[in-house]
Amino acid sequence: MQIWVGLGNPGAQYALNRHNVGFMVLDTIAEMHGFGAVKKAFQGWTQEGRIGTEKILLLKPATFMNESGRSVGEAMRFYKLGEGDVTVFHDELDLDPFRVKVKTGGGTAGHNGLRSTEAHIGNAFRRVRLGIGHPGHKDKVSPYVLGNYAKAEMDPLADMLGAVAAEAPWLASGDDGRFMSDVAVRLAG
């Protein structure tokens, strides 16, 4: 079993924030791959399903971004899994908008959701970095990540979410390189 975590903040006012792209991608994966009903568990919302032969638990922590790790750690302990069984989908300032990269381990780059997750489970979990671009100056970062996607960004956002969900079987099987390659091909088309 794998736990796929989408980072975001609960509440309608945050739904279209750049910071909530992790929630958005989990919703798209759940819909495209026919996951079960949403349940409340582990201080968040979960959905269970299969991608290929892999059983996946989708988890959207309801603890707000800064405390995401509490939810992730609770789910990981419940299923007796290791940090290598956890994949976290999150917004990434240091990637161009709508670019997608995968890596295991590494720093948190000031991302509070990653920092909290690392504090609760260690840092050897896989990260799917969903590019949002950088606003240009560090003083603008907070309003930028907590700002909504612009109307002109909605189509590229939908394309990226669809590409990630469509290529999710490569992630589930552990072929991160093929996943990144196929997502990039879809987005270039």
Side-chain angles (χ1 to χ4, degrees), residues 2 8 20 37 50 78 95 104 131 138 168 176 185:
Q2 298 177 39
N20 270 40
R50 286 193 176 278
F78 179 84
L95 268 183
T104 299
K138 66 179 181 185
D176 298 352
V185 167

Side-chain angles (χ1 to χ4, degrees), residues 26-40:
L26 256 57
D27 291 341
T28 307
I29 289 168
E31 187 176 326
M32 192 177 285
H33 294 280
F35 274 59
V38 176
K39 297 179 180 163
K40 280 190 163 182

Side-chain angles (χ1 to χ4, degrees), residues 50-54 169 172:
R50 286 193 176 278
I51 298 179
T53 59
E54 296 294 320

Side-chain angles (χ1 to χ4, degrees), residues 15-138:
L16 289 174
N17 285 184
R18 288 178 186 87
H19 220 22
N20 270 40
V21 71
F23 276 14
M24 295 175 206
V25 85
L26 256 57
D27 291 341
T28 307
I29 289 168
E31 187 176 326
M32 192 177 285
H33 294 280
F35 274 59
V38 176
K39 297 179 180 163
K40 280 190 163 182
F42 313 118
Q43 302 176 59
W45 300 281
T46 64
Q47 286 178 273
E48 290 185 26
R50 286 193 176 278
I51 298 179
T53 59
E54 296 294 320
K55 186 172 183 187
I56 311 277
L57 177 78
L58 301 179
L59 172 63
K60 294 180 353 187
T63 52
F64 286 93
M65 187 66 78
N66 297 357
E67 295 293 332
S68 300
R70 288 193 346 238
S71 173
V72 179
E74 191 177 313
M76 198 176 92
R77 286 186 298 278
F78 179 84
Y79 289 106
K80 297 178 175 57
L81 298 173
E83 50 196 288
D85 301 311
V86 175
T87 300
V88 176
F89 295 81
H90 65 90
D91 56 300
E92 177 64 65
L93 283 164
D94 296 328
L95 268 183
D96 288 340
F98 314 114
R99 295 278 313 267
V100 179
K101 296 283 183 193
V102 181
K103 73 175 189 176
T104 299
T108 61
H111 193 296
N112 290 334
L114 290 177
R115 186 178 292 135
S116 173
T117 302
E118 188 175 278
H120 286 268
I121 73 166
N123 91 334
F125 57 91
R126 181 169 61 174
R127 302 131 197 259
V128 178
R129 303 161 61 217
L130 306 163
I132 62 169
H134 198 286
H137 193 275
K138 66 179 181 185

Side-chain angles (χ1 to χ4, degrees), residues 130-166:
L130 306 163
I132 62 169
H134 198 286
H137 193 275
K138 66 179 181 185
D139 294 344
K140 296 180 181 173
V141 166
S142 188
Y144 178 74
V145 299
L146 293 174
N148 286 346
Y149 279 99
K151 198 173 218 167
E153 294 176 303
M154 288 303 169
D155 284 345
L157 173 63
D159 290 346
M160 180 194 71
L161 296 174
V164 169

